Amino acid sequence: MKTYGIIPSRFGSSRFPGKPLANLAGKPLVAWVVEAVKKAKGLDAVLVATDDERIVKAVEACGGVAVMTPSDLPSGTDRIACAARRYLGGDFGDDDILVNVQGDEPLIDPALVEALAAKLKDDARWSMATAVTPIRCAADFAAKTVVKVVLDRDDGALYFSRAPIPCDRDHTPTFQAPELPNLQTPKPPNSLFVRHLGIYAYRGAFLKRYIAEPPCELEKTEKLEQLRALWMGAKIAVVRTDDEGVGVDTPEDAARVEQLLLARHA
C-alpha cells in the first residue's frame, strides 16, 4: 500500500488566470501548497498534476515534483488519476490511497491530509474520505456556493447539496458566530449542520471505477462530483475539523492569504 498526495493545478481560471503562479510572500501559490502537503506524515510522494509547463517549472524550482496531464480532462479527479499513472509509469494499486488536495489551499492543515488517509488505511469499508467543518452563520447555510453534507451515525456521508440541508421543519437553525468575544467557553455549533471542504482521499480500486463511470443526473444537477460516488453506492467517510480552510479564488483572496502566510511565518 502506497499513499500519494496529489495537487491538481491548472493555469486557466475564469476569475484568476495564472492563479497557481501568483506571488504570495515571495513564493508562487502552488509552492506554498506543495510545502504544506509535504509536512503531512506517511505520504510516499507528493505530486502536482498540471497542464502547463510554467507550473512544472515553478514546482521544480521549489523542490517539488510535477506531472504533465492533458488540458481537456473532465475533472480534477481524472487529473489526479492520470498524474499518478504517469508518475508510476503504470497503474496505481487497488489498495493505494490517493489524496486530492486543492491547488489553491496554501494554508491546508497537514494533519487533515493525514486523517483522511488514515480513515482508508484503518477501515476497509470506506471507498473515499472527505472533510467537513461546522456551519457558523445563516448566510453560509443558505448560500449555494457552500456545500452542505448530511451524515449518518458513523460520520459517513448520506448526501451533499448546495441546498440548506438538513431541513429543520419546526425551527429556524441557530449557528455559532465565527468569533465570540468575551466568552470563556463558546457554545459548540450544532453538529447536524456542516459544510463540505474540498479535499478527498480515494482508495485506488474505487478511483479506477469512479473515473470510468459517466456523470450521473444528480452530479450534473448539483454540479458536485462526489454525488457520482454516492450514486455508485460508495461509502464516503467524513472527517470533522474546526478549520474552515482559506482558499484563493480571486486576487483579493490572494492578498488576504498572503497576510496570513506572513503572520504564520513571522
Side-chain angles (χ1 to χ4, degrees):
M1 176 189 292
K2 300 287 188 181
T3 304
Y4 304 100
I6 306 181
I7 305 162
S9 183
R10 295 182 65 248
F11 190 84
S13 170
S14 58
R15 287 186 290 178
F16 195 173
K19 176 171 67 173
L21 303 183
N23 189 304
L24 276 67
K27 287 190 284 193
L29 169 61
V30 68
W32 285 109
V33 183
V34 170
E35 181 178 301
V37 178
K38 279 186 171 182
K39 292 177 181 176
K41 299 173 184 176
L43 297 180
D44 293 282
V46 175
L47 316 173
V48 174
T50 187
D51 61 349
D52 195 285
E53 289 286 356
R54 289 167 289 186
I55 296 174
V56 172
K57 291 178 181 178
V59 171
E60 291 177 346
C62 72
V65 176
V67 180
M68 281 291 291
T69 56
S71 59
D72 58 352
L73 290 171
S75 70
T77 307
D78 291 272
R79 195 169 303 282
I80 69 161
C82 177
R85 285 167 169 159
R86 291 191 171 187
Y87 171 74
L88 293 168
D91 217 348
F92 44 86
D94 286 353
D95 62 348
D96 286 346
I97 294 168
L98 298 90
V99 186
N100 180 349
V101 182
Q102 298 301 310
D104 57 6
E105 291 274 355
L107 297 170
I108 186 73
D109 184 356
L112 183 58
V113 177
E114 296 167 16
L116 264 65
K119 274 286 186 182
L120 301 189
K121 288 178 180 178
D122 297 341
D123 195 334
R125 63 182 160 155
W126 304 114
S127 301
M128 285 176 55
T130 191
V132 298
T133 193
I135 293 176
R136 292 182 170 86
C137 67
D140 283 350
F141 188 54
K144 288 186 177 181
T145 54
V146 175
V147 177
K148 278 69 69 173
V149 194
V150 176
L151 308 178
D152 66 17
R153 64 182 180 182
D154 297 320
D155 276 352
L158 289 171
Y159 192 69
F160 298 81
S161 183
R162 297 183 183 278
I165 57 171
C167 173
D168 188 332
R169 189 194 69 171
D170 298 323
H171 306 92
T172 299
T174 57
F175 301 97
Q176 177 188 7
E179 296 180 4
L180 294 176
N182 304 319
L183 290 180
Q184 294 291 331
T185 308
K187 179 183 176 182
N190 191 323
S191 62
L192 279 179
F193 303 102
V194 293
R195 63 184 293 171
H196 181 235
L197 300 178
I199 180 172
Y200 302 94
Y202 300 91
R203 198 177 302 282
F206 176 71
L207 181 57
K208 294 171 191 177
R209 288 179 51 218
Y210 178 90
I211 62 174
E213 190 76 35
C216 66
E217 289 302 312
L218 284 174
E219 175 185 356
K220 291 188 284 187
T221 299
E222 292 247 26
K223 302 298 188 291
L224 297 173
E225 285 183 57
Q226 60 270 39
L227 291 178
R228 188 190 322 175
L230 292 179
W231 181 82
M232 292 169 62
K235 291 184 69 67
I236 304 177
V238 174
V239 173
R240 294 179 184 264
T241 177
D242 288 329
D243 187 358
E244 292 189 48
V246 184
V248 176
D249 291 322
T250 66
E252 292 74 24
D253 291 338
R256 179 166 58 98
V257 169
E258 180 176 45
Q259 293 307 308
L260 294 171
L261 288 167
L262 288 169
R264 178 180 286 187
H265 292 83

